[in-house]
């Protein structure tokens, strides 16, 4: 009986640890919205842990012009973002086939992925080891916005 109680307690602790890890990744505002929407998709920004390595980009090369240097830097940043986003994109595309995720857009400059996802899909994404944070992509109005 004592062994059973210890196993139940250990299982409870592990479940709470996994839930706490998800909550550290999911923005509180998004989590509140997830609980209020039943089955609907939410527009989210997925921030990846890996940042672009500036040292890798600052290769000492001679460029014929400033445009050539800029083109090189942009291409390298795109390659790094594509590489770091590959696993998360694979997870998102699997959920896209089951219509839990739609409108996937990759952003290489900020190493971020934007998509519409169901609350269940957001929870799966938050468990991915490459994901740093998941935020609600809400519309912001500028002070002088006339629309």
């Amino acid at each position: 009986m004592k062994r059973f109680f210890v196993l139940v307690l250990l299982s409870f602790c592990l479940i709470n640890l996994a839930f706490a890890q998800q909550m550290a990744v999911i923005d509180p505002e998004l989590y509140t919205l997830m609980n209020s929407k039943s089955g609907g998709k939410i527009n989210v920004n997925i921030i990846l842990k890996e940042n672009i390595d500036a040292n890798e980009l600052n290769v000492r090369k001679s460029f014929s012009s400033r445009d050539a240097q800029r083109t090189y830097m942009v291409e390298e940043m795109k390659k790094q973002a594509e590489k770091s986003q590959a696993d998360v994109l694979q997870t998102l595309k699997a959920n896209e086939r089951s219509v839990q995720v739609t409108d996937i857009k990759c952003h290489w400059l900020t190493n971020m992925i934007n998509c519409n996802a169901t609350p269940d899909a957001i929870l799966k994404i938050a468990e991915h080891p490459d994901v740093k944070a998941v935020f609600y992509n809400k519309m912001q109005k500028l002070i002088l916005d006339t629309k």
Side-chain angles (χ1 to χ4, degrees):
M1 185 69 173
K2 192 175 190 179
R3 180 179 273 173
F4 175 74
F5 179 72
V6 170
L7 286 174
V8 169
L9 184 62
L10 182 61
S11 298
F12 181 73
C13 289
L14 289 174
I15 290 169
N16 280 339
L17 181 63
F19 182 72
Q21 183 178 0
Q22 279 181 336
M23 293 312 301
V25 172
I26 298 174
D27 179 58
E29 181 182 8
L30 174 58
Y31 190 74
T32 302
L33 187 61
M34 288 168 54
N35 288 329
S36 67
K37 283 205 175 198
S38 56
K41 291 186 186 82
I42 304 167
N43 192 270
V44 294
N45 291 322
I46 303 161
I47 312 296
L48 292 137
K49 286 182 181 175
E50 186 176 323
N51 291 325
I52 294 170
D53 187 0
N55 292 330
E56 209 171 295
L57 290 177
N58 288 330
V59 176
R60 299 287 182 232
K61 280 180 126 182
S62 58
F63 295 98
S64 58
S65 68
R66 193 99 163 121
D67 285 342
Q69 181 181 17
R70 182 177 3 183
T71 301
Y72 170 79
M73 299 292 264
V74 167
E75 289 304 315
E76 287 301 308
M77 290 172 72
K78 285 181 180 180
K79 284 180 196 173
Q80 284 188 4
E82 186 177 302
K83 181 180 169 188
S84 71
Q85 293 174 4
D87 288 344
V88 176
L89 274 175
Q90 187 176 15
T91 302
L92 290 171
K93 288 185 187 227
N95 285 318
E96 188 175 41
R97 286 188 283 277
S98 63
V99 195
Q100 291 187 348
V101 174
T102 58
D103 303 319
I104 301 170
K105 296 176 192 93
C106 299
H107 302 281
W108 57 269
L109 189 58
T110 56
N111 202 16
M112 176 183 80
I113 302 170
N114 175 270
C115 66
N116 293 316
T118 62
D120 289 339
I122 293 169
L123 290 173
K124 287 179 192 173
I125 294 164
E127 292 175 352
H128 198 285
D130 294 338
V131 173
K132 181 178 182 178
V134 183
F135 291 94
Y136 173 52
N137 186 30
K138 63 182 175 184
M139 296 295 290
Q140 298 284 342
K141 290 206 177 226
L142 295 174
I143 295 173
L144 300 175
D145 192 7
T146 58
K147 292 182 182 180

